[in-house]
Amino acid sequence: AQSVSQHNHHVILSEAASLELGCNYSYGGTVNLFWYVQYPGQHLQLLLKYFSGDPLVKGIKGFEAEFIKSKFSFNLRKPSVQWSDTAEYFCAVNYGGSQGNLIFGKGTKLSVKP
Amino acid sequence: EPEVTQTPSHQVTQMGQEVILRCVPISNHLYFYWYRQILGQKVEFLVSFYNNEISEKSEIFDDQFSVERPDGSNFTLKIRSTKLEDSAMYFCASSQTEQYFGPGTRLTVT
């Protein structure tokens, strides 16, 4: 079955530290890749997406992600985190057309210490 | 900025009762989805809906579940006879290309 793995369940960083959250997906042909963020008490919000083209995609709030096809990975990065980045981050994939259902990872909770 | 909205935010119901969860998708979107997240678990796909019919559904979406777009704006999820294990957060999403999510309805079945 198709699946998405997020390796880190909880990451704790100090402000200004760099962030990298891992995401791997199972092979299934053409993929579209997404990172969503859920701030405390809020709904899932799209951070960035990859459909095709440049494998390095930039999203909102200074986040970026790199699609490495050979590693089936789509890791999320931010050079310098802020306290306001404290949230849960979800990697998601859909296979085939962009309108297909999303398969989510379990999420990574990020806590940023001021 | 347009948003997906969901009502109610929290629904408590007794086992065996019917519940209807409501969603108002973003107005120019054509694809609609329901997902759920049981506490501590992954967000799971339930069903997708396009052109007034179900386009895809998961094995979770059994005969107890149904979806409807009763008018031009609402998109509903009905659970006919709730079970304890239906307790979860239910998210609606809509899309043109990427999916936008609503705030969720927390369903508690007692």
Side-chain angles (χ1 to χ4, degrees):
Chain A
Q2 292 155 343
S3 64
V4 176
S5 299
Q6 290 183 244
H7 316 298
N8 314 102
H9 297 297
H10 191 185
V11 172
I12 303 172
L13 294 173
S14 298
E15 273 194 318
S18 65
L19 170 72
E20 181 159 2
L21 300 182
C23 172
N24 287 90
Y25 63 94
S26 59
Y27 174 74
T30 303
V31 293
N32 302 297
L33 299 149
F34 307 84
W35 276 96
Y36 284 86
V37 60
Q38 189 172 31
Y39 298 101
Q42 296 190 28
H43 60 275
L44 286 163
Q45 181 181 351
L46 182 66
L47 260 184
L48 48 78
K49 61 187 188 243
Y50 172 81
F51 287 163
S52 63
D54 189 342
L56 184 63
V57 292
K58 294 193 184 300
I60 60 172
K61 306 189 183 195
F63 286 90
E64 64 179 33
E66 186 175 12
F67 170 50
I68 303 179
K69 191 173 180 180
S70 59
K71 294 185 178 180
F72 306 106
S73 70
F74 190 58
N75 292 355
L76 180 71
R77 300 195 292 247
K78 186 171 183 179
S80 175
V81 295
Q82 301 171 315
W83 176 78
S84 57
D85 293 324
T86 295
E88 190 152 18
Y89 293 81
F90 295 89
C91 182
V93 175
N94 64 18
Y95 293 87
S98 64
Q99 303 306 339
N101 61 285
L102 291 172
I103 299 170
F104 281 86
K106 284 195 82 169
T108 297
K109 187 174 175 183
L110 172 66
S111 300
V112 180
K113 298 184 291 185
Chain B
E1 187 178 312
E3 289 184 337
V4 177
T5 60
Q6 290 185 242
T7 54
S9 56
H10 192 185
Q11 173 90 47
V12 181
T13 189
Q14 288 192 322
M15 200 165 54
Q17 296 296 303
E18 174 183 286
V19 293
I20 298 176
L21 310 183
R22 291 182 167 81
C23 169
V24 179
I26 294 172
S27 62
N28 61 345
H29 286 183
L30 300 177
Y31 298 85
F32 314 113
Y33 310 81
W34 283 101
Y35 293 82
R36 77 171 186 192
Q37 186 179 27
I38 295 170
L39 190 65
Q41 298 186 25
K42 292 185 181 187
V43 176
E44 301 172 290
F45 167 73
L46 293 177
V47 66
S48 58
F49 193 85
Y50 170 71
N51 201 24
N52 281 320
E53 60 183 28
I54 290 172
S55 47
E56 196 172 357
K57 61 182 181 179
S58 72
E59 57 195 28
I60 303 168
F61 194 87
D62 61 21
D63 292 344
Q64 293 298 312
F65 292 88
S66 62
V67 288
E68 203 176 32
R69 189 154 159 81
D71 52 43
S73 57
N74 290 285
F75 178 51
T76 62
L77 174 70
K78 182 194 290 187
I79 309 174
R80 266 182 265 286
S81 177
T82 50
K83 303 175 221 170
L84 293 175
E85 54 265 36
D86 294 327
S87 293
M89 196 76 168
Y90 288 81
F91 295 104
C92 173
S94 70
S95 81
Q96 278 190 318
T97 51
E98 60 270 12
Q99 293 178 34
Y100 290 86
F101 284 77
T105 293
R106 180 169 298 285
L107 176 65
T108 303
V109 183
T110 62

